[in-house]
Amino acid sequence: MKRSRFPFIVTGLVLVFFYLPILILVVDSFNASRFGGAWRGFSLKWYVRLFHEPAIWTAARNTLVIALIVTFVSLLLGTTSALALHRFSKSRFQRVHYTLIYTPLVVPEILMGISLLMAFVAAGVKLGMGTIILAHVTFCISYVALVVLGRLQDFDFTVVEAARDLGATGWTATRRVLLPMLAPGLAAAGLIAFTLSVDDFVITFFVAGPGSTTLPIRVYSMIKHGATPLINALSTLLLALTFTTVLVSQRLSKSGALEGGQ
Amino acid sequence: MAEFLEFKNVSKRFGAIQAVDGVSLEIKRGEFFALLGPSGCGKTTMLRIAAGFETPDAGQVFLAGREITDLPPNRRPVNTIFQSYALFPHLTVRDNIAFGLQIAKKPKAEIDREVETMLRLIRLEDQAGKKPDLLSGGQRQRVAVARALINKPGVLLLDEPLAALDLKLRQRMLIELDMIHDQVGITFLYVTHDQSEAMSLSDRIAVMNAGRIEQIGAPAEIYEAPRTSFVAAFIGDTNFLEGVVADHPEPEYSRLRIEGLPDATVYNDKQIADGHKIFLSIRPEKIQISRDRPEPKPKRNAVPAVVEDVIYLGPTTKYWVRAGEHRLQVLRQHARFFLDEKPIRWKDDVWVFWHGDDGFMLEGFRRDDEKLVAAPPQKVGEA
Ligand SMILES: Nc1ncnc2c1ncn2[C@@H]1O[C@H](COP(=O)(O)OP(=O)(O)O)[C@@H](O)[C@H]1O
Ligand SMILES: [Mg+2]
């Protein structure tokens, strides 16, 4: 029986469409040519040049500091939120809570960026690292909460009761049983928050201030100055970072809760 | 002091469901006490109230004379073996067992010593380093027992601990639990829906139905002298006969008028007065069956009947017979099966007979409980 080739062709085209530009970018970052296009031989010089740009280092440091703080804060708040959502799933209050948690995932980023900017300006907050962290936390919480909620849904809470039964206080049971058992899910959620924070451009663009440039913003301003090969190198590095975190987080979320949360 | 764990008029409602309905229960120190009843009758809720996971809407719980109704679970000297065992999957067998003592901040040397003792008790010394996932069902169950017992609780609560095991393993664990109970001497409150488990293990049984206790007593008492139709039908099989007390030929015995049957002599320890309608429960194995009319004897009730069905069960054979409008089940153990007189077959005319002491007058009867008893076969093409 002859099988239709059609699905293969479509799949192939989709892959090409998605990944060819990225592949070209990665290959070009190793191209000795200044203007891309023609291959002038393998070179690491753009990477070397990149490492000698102080502005890049500052941006990298900012990005990392922001991402780490955002990961920590949104893990803390998102997990708490998920626990409340799960525990009191039937109350009307928590249904409102769920909607609020879900909303940032569907609101257009540009809208969030503008509204956050307006909120900060109205409140007289100085734009900078602080505002970026706040902005990132607002949407990272949602992802963390949904991923953790997915985990809680197939979590058997009798183990927590067992710990209480054996003499543990509520807090000890949480610390010694609930959290260790949720650890893989929490790690996956944390990595998602980290990746989202590192990658975010639109919202960051609105709420960033002087001296708080992050890598995506840096890439954007470099494009305006036409430093293409450097951007390729930087983007390739960002890509590698994102890819690794996503891979690790997928490893950690074997149950597919990650997909369910997004 | 006799009562150790005591429930006083305890009630618990979940929305529209009255899970526990005014239960009073007294369990003695060191006793192996079973709470027996069908699924959904409120057994687990009772255990959870004892453990502190549920607060009763009304009533009180006492342990060794002290009220514990509102004490949180971690402050009760009571430990539970959960239906699913609820072992900690991220901890080794050793750390699972040590958990209670670690929480209590006992010195490390003492914890190690106690854990070793427990591992020996459950014979899992060589599995101590494994995670629970790698253990078999029976081994997990034993770890759950050790984890609960290491705290030396006043009462051990067990929620259908054998339900997840297959039949052979269940029988082995039954013996093991019994041995552990004898060794540690702790009070066991054992919840099950399996009457044979309750019968074989317990000192006393409370039979529960729809949130209430129907009867409390030793296994033999519950089986031989059921007080209600529910107890009679839930524990073992039985026949129900409805009749009216006619008169008292002897102080302890009444003559019972049963429609469509000759008058029957029955033991009437409850002194039910003449003229009252009552229900009689007669267990199938208490009724005898034969082709020939049995010799008349005092207090022997004999009824002619027709065999409607014969079910060979190995050690026994069950006969469904019709006597007038009544269908009765009769269980017969056969000694020397092949040498017995000519076997009784379908459509044979027989006599069934029983002693007046073997029928038991019920205090409570509900039509619904008849459904719990094995139903007579419906023959295809039978007129
Ligand atoms: N947390 C709960 N919420 C609502 N209904 C419950 C809850 N726990 C038990 N029930 C109900 O109470 C009744 C008794 O339950 P349970 O004590 O678990 O019975 P058993 O252990 O005898 O099977 C059942 O009808 C059950 O559905
Ligand atoms: Mg139950």
Side-chain angles (χ1 to χ4, degrees):
Chain A
M1 217 171 75
K2 194 177 178 298
R3 295 245 300 265
S4 166
R5 289 245 183 81
F6 187 68
F8 288 102
I9 295 169
V10 172
T11 313
L13 284 177
V14 167
L15 286 177
V16 166
F17 183 74
F18 273 132
Y19 291 107
L20 194 64
I22 296 178
L23 191 70
I24 290 173
L25 181 144
V26 173
V27 170
D28 244 7
S29 74
F30 297 107
N31 191 346
S33 158
R34 188 174 169 71
F35 302 105
W39 183 254
R40 291 276 180 74
F42 180 85
S43 156
L44 284 176
K45 70 174 173 191
W46 306 119
Y47 288 90
V48 175
R49 180 99 51 95
L50 198 64
F51 282 108
H52 286 100
E53 287 266 350
I56 295 288
W57 282 106
T58 318
R61 207 205 59 214
N62 286 348
T63 305
L64 213 64
V65 168
I66 290 169
L68 286 176
I69 296 177
V70 165
T71 305
F72 179 77
V73 175
S74 52
L75 256 185
L76 202 68
L77 295 179
T79 306
T80 320
S81 150
L83 283 171
L85 282 172
H86 184 264
R87 174 81 172 71
F88 306 103
S89 57
K90 286 187 190 81
S91 85
R92 178 175 304 167
F93 184 63
Q94 291 301 332
R95 278 206 291 271
V96 174
H97 180 188
Y98 183 77
T99 314
L100 286 179
I101 283 292
Y102 207 89
T103 313
L105 305 186
V106 289
V107 168
E109 267 194 283
I110 192 149
L111 232 156
M112 265 189 85
I114 292 173
S115 48
L116 280 166
L117 175 63
M118 278 159 54
F120 289 140
V121 170
V125 182
K126 205 166 141 285
L127 297 182
M129 300 273 280
T131 49
I132 297 180
I133 290 171
L134 273 177
H136 284 193
V137 166
T138 49
F139 65 85
C140 285
I141 285 182
S142 303
Y143 287 96
V144 171
L146 291 177
V147 170
V148 176
L149 190 60
R151 283 314 178 85
L152 290 177
Q153 257 139 21
D154 38 54
F155 188 85
D156 180 10
F157 275 85
T158 2
V159 288
V160 178
E161 287 191 341
R164 300 275 282 136
D165 190 65
L166 293 167
T169 59
W171 166 239
T172 312
T174 307
R175 193 171 50 83
R176 304 231 358 202
V177 175
L178 183 62
L179 289 182
M181 283 179 69
L182 282 181
L186 293 182
L191 286 174
I192 290 179
F194 184 83
T195 317
L196 288 173
S197 171
V198 166
D199 279 355
D200 183 74
F201 171 75
V202 179
I203 294 174
T204 315
F205 186 73
F206 281 97
V207 299
S212 64
T213 306
T214 63
L215 280 177
I217 307 265
R218 188 79 230 155
V219 170
Y220 177 70
S221 67
M222 278 160 72
I223 286 181
K224 285 203 295 200
H225 298 104
T228 332
L230 276 185
I231 295 174
N232 289 347
L234 183 54
S235 304
T236 306
L237 288 179
L238 269 176
L239 200 68
L241 179 67
T242 312
F243 242 72
T244 330
T245 27
V246 167
L247 267 178
V248 173
S249 84
Q250 270 175 355
R251 267 289 159 75
L252 290 171
S253 71
K254 281 176 220 129
S255 73
L258 200 65
E259 289 77 27
Q262 278 180 335
Chain B
M1 184 194 52
E3 304 80 40
F4 189 56
L5 177 63
E6 191 180 356
F7 296 84
K8 262 197 188 148
N9 281 314
V10 169
S11 293
K12 179 77 190 177
R13 168 184 283 277
F14 296 107
I17 299 162
Q18 188 72 48
V20 175
D21 191 2
V23 168
S24 293
L25 202 61
E26 290 162 5
I27 298 163
K28 300 190 183 81
R29 188 190 284 275
E31 199 171 24
F32 197 126
F33 193 95
L35 212 49
L36 173 65
S39 171
C41 72
K43 307 178 299 288
T44 298
T45 307
M46 285 286 290
L47 268 203
R48 293 175 60 81
I49 287 171
F53 297 123
E54 308 283 359
T55 316
D57 304 328
Q60 297 161 294
V61 187
F62 294 89
L63 183 67
R66 187 166 69 109
E67 181 170 359
I68 58 165
T69 320
D70 295 315
L71 225 52
N74 51 315
R75 298 199 18 229
R76 296 185 183 207
V78 163
N79 286 114
T80 308
I81 294 177
F82 294 84
Q83 196 160 2
S84 55
Y85 310 145
L87 297 179
F88 306 126
H90 60 298
L91 300 179
T92 60
V93 167
R94 182 185 299 281
D95 286 338
N96 262 281
I97 298 176
F99 193 88
L101 296 183
Q102 288 172 356
I103 294 292
K105 302 224 158 52
K106 289 278 191 304
K108 180 150 187 336
E110 183 189 332
I111 295 180
D112 289 346
R113 202 173 56 238
E114 293 292 320
V115 171
E116 286 313 318
T117 313
M118 277 300 155
L119 283 169
R120 263 201 307 281
L121 179 74
I122 59 166
R123 291 177 289 109
L124 281 182
E125 296 101 317
D126 50 339
Q127 313 283 328
K130 284 192 184 165
K131 295 274 174 69
D133 282 353
L134 298 174
L135 302 184
S136 71
Q139 291 173 331
R140 272 182 227 173
Q141 206 253 347
R142 271 146 51 195
V143 175
V145 171
R147 184 180 69 172
L149 282 178
I150 201 164
N151 291 323
K152 306 213 162 47
V155 181
L156 185 69
L157 309 171
L158 303 97
D159 192 357
E160 314 225 6
L162 306 183
L165 307 177
D166 59 53
L167 183 66
K168 273 275 175 298
L169 196 54
R170 200 147 68 218
Q171 288 165 346
R172 263 220 339 260
M173 295 309 297
L174 213 64
I175 298 168
E176 202 150 316
L177 276 178
D178 203 20
M179 274 167 42
I180 289 175
H181 176 251
D182 288 347
Q183 275 181 46
V184 297
I186 287 173
T187 311
F188 277 35
L189 177 52
Y190 186 99
V191 157
T192 180
H193 68 269
D194 182 317
Q195 42 140 327
S196 67
E197 269 175 36
M199 288 277 171
S200 54
L201 288 172
S202 333
D203 299 317
R204 286 193 304 151
I205 297 174
V207 183
M208 245 187 124
N209 183 30
R212 293 167 183 270
I213 303 276
E214 296 253 344
Q215 187 169 355
I216 303 176
E221 212 178 320
I222 299 263
Y223 185 81
E224 300 290 344
R227 278 222 295 266
T228 64
S229 55
F230 176 81
V231 176
F234 185 71
I235 299 173
D237 241 331
T238 194
N239 298 288
F240 290 124
L241 286 175
E242 184 182 347
V244 176
V245 182
D247 56 6
H248 281 69
E250 279 178 58
E252 296 257 287
Y253 292 86
S254 301
R255 210 165 30 219
L256 200 63
R257 190 146 297 147
I258 303 169
E259 212 181 298
L261 294 185
D263 286 356
T265 308
V266 291
Y267 182 51
N268 185 357
D269 64 329
K270 297 179 186 90
Q271 300 298 323
I272 294 170
D274 295 355
H276 272 81
K277 190 168 95 170
I278 61 105
F279 287 87
L280 199 64
S281 155
I282 316 170
R283 302 249 178 234
E285 76 276 13
K286 303 279 163 84
I287 305 180
Q288 287 171 281
I289 185 167
S290 87
R291 300 177 156 282
D292 308 317
R293 178 171 198 151
E295 256 177 74
K297 279 189 186 170
K299 302 189 191 91
R300 170 176 279 177
N301 302 299
V303 179
V306 182
V307 177
E308 291 201 326
D309 202 21
V310 180
I311 305 163
Y312 176 69
L313 297 168
T316 56
T317 298
K318 180 182 270 188
Y319 302 91
W320 279 96
V321 303
R322 180 184 286 278
E325 282 307 297
H326 304 272
R327 302 177 94 169
L328 300 173
Q329 42 178 333
V330 178
L331 204 61
R332 182 194 212 187
Q333 185 148 25
H334 21 70
R336 307 182 314 272
F337 182 70
F338 293 108
L339 299 179
D340 275 357
E341 56 189 291
K342 189 173 154 238
I344 294 169
R345 293 187 201 283
W346 182 40
K347 286 189 170 166
D348 282 357
D349 288 314
V350 291
W351 284 83
V352 293
F353 51 104
W354 73 93
H355 191 270
D357 285 347
D358 289 333
F360 213 84
M361 286 193 191
L362 301 172
E363 288 167 22
F365 182 86
R366 277 182 308 260
R367 278 280 164 223
D368 263 3
D369 295 332
E370 285 180 313
K371 293 189 193 120
L372 295 169
V373 192
Q378 304 293 321
K379 279 251 165 54
V380 184
E382 190 184 65

mmCIF file of all heavy atoms in Angstrom, chain B residues 12-15 17-20 37-48 54 83 159-160 191 208, ligand 1:
data_model
loop_
_atom_site.group_PDB
_atom_site.id
_atom_site.type_symbol
_atom_site.label_atom_id
_atom_site.label_comp_id
_atom_site.label_asym_id
_atom_site.label_seq_id
_atom_site.Cartn_x
_atom_site.Cartn_y
_atom_site.Cartn_z
ATOM 1 N N LYS B 12 -20.719 13.040 62.187
ATOM 2 C CA LYS B 12 -19.993 13.828 61.190
ATOM 3 C C LYS B 12 -20.784 13.833 59.892
ATOM 4 O O LYS B 12 -21.203 12.772 59.410
ATOM 5 C CB LYS B 12 -18.601 13.234 60.947
ATOM 6 C CG LYS B 12 -17.782 13.967 59.903
ATOM 7 C CD LYS B 12 -17.209 15.254 60.447
ATOM 8 C CE LYS B 12 -16.587 16.101 59.348
ATOM 9 N NZ LYS B 12 -16.093 17.380 59.870
ATOM 10 N N ARG B 13 -20.981 15.022 59.349
ATOM 11 C CA ARG B 13 -21.753 15.154 58.121
ATOM 12 C C ARG B 13 -20.867 15.786 57.047
ATOM 13 O O ARG B 13 -20.096 16.701 57.327
ATOM 14 C CB ARG B 13 -22.972 16.029 58.417
ATOM 15 C CG ARG B 13 -23.746 16.508 57.217
ATOM 16 C CD ARG B 13 -24.853 17.443 57.670
ATOM 17 N NE ARG B 13 -25.967 16.711 58.242
ATOM 18 C CZ ARG B 13 -26.938 16.157 57.513
ATOM 19 N NH1 ARG B 13 -26.928 16.250 56.213
ATOM 20 N NH2 ARG B 13 -27.919 15.507 58.093
ATOM 21 N N PHE B 14 -20.957 15.283 55.831
ATOM 22 C CA PHE B 14 -20.306 15.931 54.687
ATOM 23 C C PHE B 14 -21.409 16.371 53.743
ATOM 24 O O PHE B 14 -21.989 15.528 53.051
ATOM 25 C CB PHE B 14 -19.378 14.974 53.939
ATOM 26 C CG PHE B 14 -18.215 14.495 54.751
ATOM 27 C CD1 PHE B 14 -18.183 13.196 55.223
ATOM 28 C CD2 PHE B 14 -17.150 15.333 55.036
ATOM 29 C CE1 PHE B 14 -17.108 12.742 55.970
ATOM 30 C CE2 PHE B 14 -16.081 14.885 55.785
ATOM 31 C CZ PHE B 14 -16.058 13.585 56.249
ATOM 32 N N GLY B 15 -21.696 17.648 53.714
ATOM 33 C CA GLY B 15 -22.768 18.127 52.845
ATOM 34 C C GLY B 15 -24.057 17.414 53.178
ATOM 35 O O GLY B 15 -24.542 17.478 54.308
ATOM 36 N N ILE B 17 -24.434 14.173 53.138
ATOM 37 C CA ILE B 17 -24.205 12.798 53.605
ATOM 38 C C ILE B 17 -23.887 12.767 55.091
ATOM 39 O O ILE B 17 -22.938 13.416 55.545
ATOM 40 C CB ILE B 17 -23.040 12.165 52.814
ATOM 41 C CG1 ILE B 17 -23.391 12.121 51.333
ATOM 42 C CG2 ILE B 17 -22.729 10.772 53.335
ATOM 43 C CD1 ILE B 17 -22.185 11.920 50.452
ATOM 44 N N GLN B 18 -24.676 12.031 55.837
ATOM 45 C CA GLN B 18 -24.384 11.842 57.257
ATOM 46 C C GLN B 18 -23.435 10.647 57.341
ATOM 47 O O GLN B 18 -23.861 9.494 57.361
ATOM 48 C CB GLN B 18 -25.673 11.586 58.033
ATOM 49 C CG GLN B 18 -25.495 11.567 59.536
ATOM 50 C CD GLN B 18 -25.236 12.962 60.117
ATOM 51 O OE1 GLN B 18 -25.932 13.910 59.801
ATOM 52 N NE2 GLN B 18 -24.214 13.083 60.943
ATOM 53 N N ALA B 19 -22.133 10.922 57.359
ATOM 54 C CA ALA B 19 -21.146 9.842 57.289
ATOM 55 C C ALA B 19 -21.103 9.042 58.589
ATOM 56 O O ALA B 19 -21.010 7.817 58.564
ATOM 57 C CB ALA B 19 -19.771 10.410 56.961
ATOM 58 N N VAL B 20 -21.170 9.741 59.719
ATOM 59 C CA VAL B 20 -21.197 9.071 61.021
ATOM 60 C C VAL B 20 -22.365 9.665 61.799
ATOM 61 O O VAL B 20 -22.532 10.881 61.838
ATOM 62 C CB VAL B 20 -19.876 9.281 61.791
ATOM 63 C CG1 VAL B 20 -19.972 8.696 63.180
ATOM 64 C CG2 VAL B 20 -18.714 8.658 61.027
ATOM 65 N N GLY B 37 -18.034 -3.088 57.983
ATOM 66 C CA GLY B 37 -19.227 -2.570 57.331
ATOM 67 C C GLY B 37 -18.986 -2.398 55.849
ATOM 68 O O GLY B 37 -17.843 -2.401 55.401
ATOM 69 N N PRO B 38 -20.056 -2.240 55.082
ATOM 70 C CA PRO B 38 -19.898 -2.112 53.635
ATOM 71 C C PRO B 38 -19.232 -0.783 53.281
ATOM 72 O O PRO B 38 -19.170 0.120 54.112
ATOM 73 C CB PRO B 38 -21.328 -2.150 53.110
ATOM 74 C CG PRO B 38 -22.169 -1.677 54.250
ATOM 75 C CD PRO B 38 -21.469 -2.127 55.493
ATOM 76 N N SER B 39 -18.749 -0.703 52.065
ATOM 77 C CA SER B 39 -18.088 0.498 51.605
ATOM 78 C C SER B 39 -19.037 1.701 51.706
ATOM 79 O O SER B 39 -20.205 1.604 51.372
ATOM 80 C CB SER B 39 -17.651 0.273 50.157
ATOM 81 O OG SER B 39 -17.204 1.462 49.609
ATOM 82 N N GLY B 40 -18.523 2.812 52.245
ATOM 83 C CA GLY B 40 -19.325 4.027 52.340
ATOM 84 C C GLY B 40 -20.131 4.134 53.619
ATOM 85 O O GLY B 40 -20.900 5.072 53.783
ATOM 86 N N CYS B 41 -19.945 3.202 54.555
ATOM 87 C CA CYS B 41 -20.779 3.237 55.767
ATOM 88 C C CYS B 41 -20.195 4.170 56.826
ATOM 89 O O CYS B 41 -20.813 4.387 57.858
ATOM 90 C CB CYS B 41 -20.953 1.837 56.341
ATOM 91 S SG CYS B 41 -19.471 1.198 57.118
ATOM 92 N N GLY B 42 -19.001 4.712 56.573
ATOM 93 C CA GLY B 42 -18.449 5.684 57.524
ATOM 94 C C GLY B 42 -17.270 5.181 58.330
ATOM 95 O O GLY B 42 -16.835 5.843 59.276
ATOM 96 N N LYS B 43 -16.699 4.034 57.958
ATOM 97 C CA LYS B 43 -15.586 3.468 58.723
ATOM 98 C C LYS B 43 -14.366 4.379 58.679
ATOM 99 O O LYS B 43 -13.777 4.704 59.720
ATOM 100 C CB LYS B 43 -15.196 2.090 58.158
ATOM 101 C CG LYS B 43 -16.328 1.118 58.034
ATOM 102 C CD LYS B 43 -15.870 -0.194 57.430
ATOM 103 C CE LYS B 43 -15.309 -0.094 56.028
ATOM 104 N NZ LYS B 43 -16.273 0.162 54.977
ATOM 105 N N THR B 44 -13.978 4.783 57.466
ATOM 106 C CA THR B 44 -12.795 5.626 57.338
ATOM 107 C C THR B 44 -12.993 6.934 58.084
ATOM 108 O O THR B 44 -12.074 7.425 58.755
ATOM 109 C CB THR B 44 -12.483 5.885 55.855
ATOM 110 O OG1 THR B 44 -12.210 4.631 55.223
ATOM 111 C CG2 THR B 44 -11.283 6.786 55.692
ATOM 112 N N THR B 45 -14.195 7.485 58.012
ATOM 113 C CA THR B 45 -14.471 8.733 58.720
ATOM 114 C C THR B 45 -14.258 8.546 60.223
ATOM 115 O O THR B 45 -13.674 9.415 60.879
ATOM 116 C CB THR B 45 -15.900 9.204 58.421
ATOM 117 O OG1 THR B 45 -16.068 9.242 56.997
ATOM 118 C CG2 THR B 45 -16.168 10.568 58.994
ATOM 119 N N MET B 46 -14.691 7.409 60.764
ATOM 120 C CA MET B 46 -14.464 7.121 62.189
ATOM 121 C C MET B 46 -12.965 7.119 62.499
ATOM 122 O O MET B 46 -12.525 7.694 63.499
ATOM 123 C CB MET B 46 -15.055 5.753 62.549
ATOM 124 C CG MET B 46 -16.564 5.711 62.654
ATOM 125 S SD MET B 46 -17.147 6.494 64.148
ATOM 126 C CE MET B 46 -16.599 5.304 65.377
ATOM 127 N N LEU B 47 -12.194 6.463 61.643
ATOM 128 C CA LEU B 47 -10.745 6.399 61.866
ATOM 129 C C LEU B 47 -10.129 7.788 61.800
ATOM 130 O O LEU B 47 -9.264 8.133 62.601
ATOM 131 C CB LEU B 47 -10.078 5.544 60.778
ATOM 132 C CG LEU B 47 -9.869 4.071 61.012
ATOM 133 C CD1 LEU B 47 -8.743 3.560 60.138
ATOM 134 C CD2 LEU B 47 -9.548 3.779 62.457
ATOM 135 N N ARG B 48 -10.603 8.563 60.819
ATOM 136 C CA ARG B 48 -10.041 9.904 60.649
ATOM 137 C C ARG B 48 -10.398 10.798 61.830
ATOM 138 O O ARG B 48 -9.639 11.700 62.181
ATOM 139 C CB ARG B 48 -10.500 10.511 59.322
ATOM 140 C CG ARG B 48 -9.902 9.763 58.113
ATOM 141 C CD ARG B 48 -10.441 10.283 56.811
ATOM 142 N NE ARG B 48 -10.146 11.698 56.621
ATOM 143 C CZ ARG B 48 -8.982 12.175 56.193
ATOM 144 N NH1 ARG B 48 -8.015 11.344 55.900
ATOM 145 N NH2 ARG B 48 -8.806 13.463 56.056
ATOM 146 N N GLU B 54 -10.330 14.620 60.985
ATOM 147 C CA GLU B 54 -11.664 15.213 60.899
ATOM 148 C C GLU B 54 -12.091 15.581 62.316
ATOM 149 O O GLU B 54 -11.799 14.855 63.268
ATOM 150 C CB GLU B 54 -12.701 14.217 60.341
ATOM 151 C CG GLU B 54 -12.331 13.552 59.034
ATOM 152 C CD GLU B 54 -12.522 14.456 57.834
ATOM 153 O OE1 GLU B 54 -12.960 15.618 58.002
ATOM 154 O OE2 GLU B 54 -12.214 13.999 56.713
ATOM 155 N N GLN B 83 -4.871 3.273 53.977
ATOM 156 C CA GLN B 83 -5.311 2.281 53.015
ATOM 157 C C GLN B 83 -4.288 2.130 51.875
ATOM 158 O O GLN B 83 -3.999 1.044 51.429
ATOM 159 C CB GLN B 83 -6.668 2.704 52.460
ATOM 160 C CG GLN B 83 -7.394 1.605 51.750
ATOM 161 C CD GLN B 83 -8.894 1.892 51.636
ATOM 162 O OE1 GLN B 83 -9.375 2.927 52.063
ATOM 163 N NE2 GLN B 83 -9.613 0.973 51.066
ATOM 164 N N ASP B 159 -6.604 1.150 58.285
ATOM 165 C CA ASP B 159 -7.703 1.338 57.343
ATOM 166 C C ASP B 159 -7.581 0.351 56.185
ATOM 167 O O ASP B 159 -6.790 0.551 55.279
ATOM 168 C CB ASP B 159 -7.705 2.776 56.812
ATOM 169 C CG ASP B 159 -8.997 3.096 56.074
ATOM 170 O OD1 ASP B 159 -9.844 2.188 55.928
ATOM 171 O OD2 ASP B 159 -9.166 4.247 55.643
ATOM 172 N N GLU B 160 -8.327 -0.700 56.234
ATOM 173 C CA GLU B 160 -8.315 -1.751 55.216
ATOM 174 C C GLU B 160 -6.899 -2.053 54.739
ATOM 175 O O GLU B 160 -6.609 -1.960 53.557
ATOM 176 C CB GLU B 160 -9.173 -1.331 54.006
ATOM 177 C CG GLU B 160 -10.498 -0.753 54.440
ATOM 178 C CD GLU B 160 -11.677 -1.262 53.657
ATOM 179 O OE1 GLU B 160 -11.482 -2.172 52.820
ATOM 180 O OE2 GLU B 160 -12.786 -0.778 53.899
ATOM 181 N N VAL B 191 -10.165 -1.330 60.505
ATOM 182 C CA VAL B 191 -11.330 -1.071 59.658
ATOM 183 C C VAL B 191 -11.307 -1.991 58.452
ATOM 184 O O VAL B 191 -10.271 -2.149 57.811
ATOM 185 C CB VAL B 191 -11.312 0.396 59.179
ATOM 186 C CG1 VAL B 191 -12.117 0.552 57.913
ATOM 187 C CG2 VAL B 191 -11.862 1.306 60.257
ATOM 188 N N MET B 208 -20.991 -1.816 61.279
ATOM 189 C CA MET B 208 -21.482 -0.474 60.967
ATOM 190 C C MET B 208 -22.310 -0.495 59.712
ATOM 191 O O MET B 208 -22.020 -1.241 58.771
ATOM 192 C CB MET B 208 -20.287 0.447 60.738
ATOM 193 C CG MET B 208 -20.153 1.547 61.754
ATOM 194 S SD MET B 208 -18.856 2.676 61.262
ATOM 195 C CE MET B 208 -19.772 4.205 61.259
HETATM 196 N N1 LIG C 1 -14.178 14.548 52.693
HETATM 197 C C1 LIG C 1 -15.387 14.120 52.308
HETATM 198 N N2 LIG C 1 -16.211 14.919 51.607
HETATM 199 C C2 LIG C 1 -17.430 14.514 51.232
HETATM 200 N N3 LIG C 1 -17.938 13.298 51.491
HETATM 201 C C3 LIG C 1 -17.173 12.440 52.186
HETATM 202 C C4 LIG C 1 -15.862 12.800 52.627
HETATM 203 N N4 LIG C 1 -15.334 11.736 53.287
HETATM 204 C C5 LIG C 1 -16.270 10.767 53.259
HETATM 205 N N5 LIG C 1 -17.376 11.180 52.606
HETATM 206 C C6 LIG C 1 -18.617 10.406 52.427
HETATM 207 O O1 LIG C 1 -19.002 9.897 53.672
HETATM 208 C C7 LIG C 1 -19.440 8.560 53.545
HETATM 209 C C8 LIG C 1 -18.608 7.633 54.403
HETATM 210 O O2 LIG C 1 -17.319 7.585 53.881
HETATM 211 P P1 LIG C 1 -16.166 6.698 54.488
HETATM 212 O O3 LIG C 1 -16.028 6.996 55.922
HETATM 213 O O4 LIG C 1 -14.958 6.886 53.650
HETATM 214 O O5 LIG C 1 -16.750 5.233 54.295
HETATM 215 P P2 LIG C 1 -16.006 3.816 54.314
HETATM 216 O O6 LIG C 1 -14.611 4.011 54.777
HETATM 217 O O7 LIG C 1 -16.828 3.001 55.241
HETATM 218 O O8 LIG C 1 -16.079 3.296 52.929
HETATM 219 C C9 LIG C 1 -19.382 8.210 52.072
HETATM 220 O O9 LIG C 1 -20.647 8.394 51.517
HETATM 221 C C10 LIG C 1 -18.413 9.214 51.524
HETATM 222 O O10 LIG C 1 -18.710 9.503 50.183
#
